Amino acid sequence: MPLQLRPVQSRTAPPTSYENALADELEAVYGRGVHDLPGVVAALNAGGLRPADGADWTEETFAAELARLAGEA
């Protein structure tokens, strides 16, 4: 699954604190040179930010969350 940047150009509301925290965490992960999906998921699980259900991230839940946040879910 290739990673793609899809900027949101017309938000209806400012990002939530969760969205900002996820963006910050992803920026830190990418800044450490981790760019592959398994590596990103592992790095997120090593950090403190969890999905809404509190479980560990999986490749599937991470992809679904990005799709949801992009309005594609």
Side-chain angles (χ1 to χ4, degrees), residues 48-72:
L49 188 66
R50 293 284 183 253
D53 65 2
D56 282 346
W57 291 100
T58 65
E59 292 180 22
E60 293 77 18
T61 59
F62 178 68
E65 182 66 347
L66 291 185
R68 183 189 74 77
L69 291 170
E72 299 173 7

Side-chain angles (χ1 to χ4, degrees), residues 2-51:
L3 299 176
Q4 299 178 21
L5 175 62
R6 293 185 183 174
V8 177
Q9 296 180 1
S10 58
R11 288 191 176 270
T12 58
T16 65
S17 59
Y18 165 76
E19 292 168 340
N20 283 327
L22 180 58
D24 290 346
E25 189 74 24
L26 287 172
E27 187 174 308
V29 169
Y30 297 146
R32 291 192 300 270
V34 179
H35 299 111
D36 63 293
L37 183 57
V40 169
V41 169
L44 287 174
N45 284 327
L49 188 66
R50 293 284 183 253

